[in-house]
Amino acid sequence: MNILERCKSAIIDSNIFTNIQYIGITGSVGRGEKDIDDKDINDIDFVVIANSCNLSKKTTLDRKLQEITGKKFTDILYLNQKKFIKKISSNSIEQYLFDFIMGNKKIYSLIDIDKYKKIKFKVSRISAIDVLMTRLWALICPFYFYDGIILP
């Protein structure tokens, strides 16, 4: 059984989620920039769309996924199915949903996520600014600040 199949089984067998409709990966692996077994990535971002979730057991599942993938970190984004459909049907969506729709790798699916790629969404301004601010650290980290001056 390959890594993706083992991850799918771990998520389904965890019994954390009820009525799972979708399991996928976002981020660099979801966009196809990296493979799940690449050595130069340290985290994998999973997405699960389901009816409900027992978050108290999430840490145990994270550890299992870290063991399977060999990665230091895993993140599991839970999306409630009804709320997901409601949000995706609106005129304006949040940046994380746009990123998920445009760049995801399907592991298990009972719903067609790809059909949403054809829709032109407006990403809410507040959400886009939040994403920009949270991702700026990746651009700034390689530099040092000394007395108001940026040094490489």
Side-chain angles (χ1 to χ4, degrees):
M1 188 181 303
N2 68 28
I3 293 174
L4 292 178
E5 284 294 320
R6 290 175 56 208
C7 289
K8 177 181 89 171
S9 294
I11 292 169
I12 291 171
D13 295 344
S14 71
N15 293 319
I16 292 175
F17 306 98
T18 60
N19 196 18
I20 295 174
Q21 298 295 303
Y22 181 89
I23 301 171
I25 298 177
T26 62
S28 59
V29 174
R31 290 187 302 271
E33 298 163 5
K34 303 280 184 177
D35 287 322
I36 196 166
D37 54 359
D38 283 356
K39 302 295 181 209
D40 64 338
I41 55 173
N42 66 353
D43 74 316
I44 304 291
D45 302 311
F46 292 92
V47 175
V48 177
I49 299 174
N51 281 354
S52 65
C53 173
N54 181 351
L55 290 175
S56 66
K57 297 180 180 180
K58 183 180 176 290
T59 303
T60 304
L61 178 56
D62 269 326
R63 284 192 203 116
K64 180 71 174 171
L65 292 171
Q66 289 163 8
E67 178 185 310
I68 292 169
T69 62
K71 304 303 177 202
K72 190 173 183 179
F73 303 103
T74 58
D75 187 32
I76 305 164
L77 172 63
Y78 159 68
L79 299 172
N80 175 276
Q81 180 185 1
K82 288 180 184 174
K83 289 180 182 178
F84 170 74
I85 297 298
K86 185 177 178 180
K87 283 184 179 188
I88 212 74
S89 299
S90 71
N91 190 26
S92 178
I93 64 172
E94 296 173 48
Q95 184 71 42
Y96 77 92
L97 281 177
F98 181 80
D99 290 347
F100 162 62
I101 291 165
M102 296 305 170
N104 69 79
K105 182 177 187 121
K106 180 175 27 180
I107 298 175
Y108 169 85
S109 183
L110 296 178
I111 55 178
D112 181 14
I113 296 296
D114 291 336
K115 73 180 180 181
Y116 297 109
K117 289 182 180 181
K118 299 171 187 146
I119 300 172
K120 289 191 176 191
F121 291 105
K122 292 180 185 174
V123 176
S124 69
R125 183 174 293 150
I126 296 288
S127 180
I129 290 170
D130 286 347
V131 169
L132 177 64
M133 298 306 289
T134 59
R135 293 182 183 170
L136 274 177
W137 68 268
L139 299 173
I140 296 173
C141 278
F143 300 96
Y144 298 97
F145 295 91
Y146 178 75
D147 200 23
I149 301 170
I150 301 173
L151 305 170

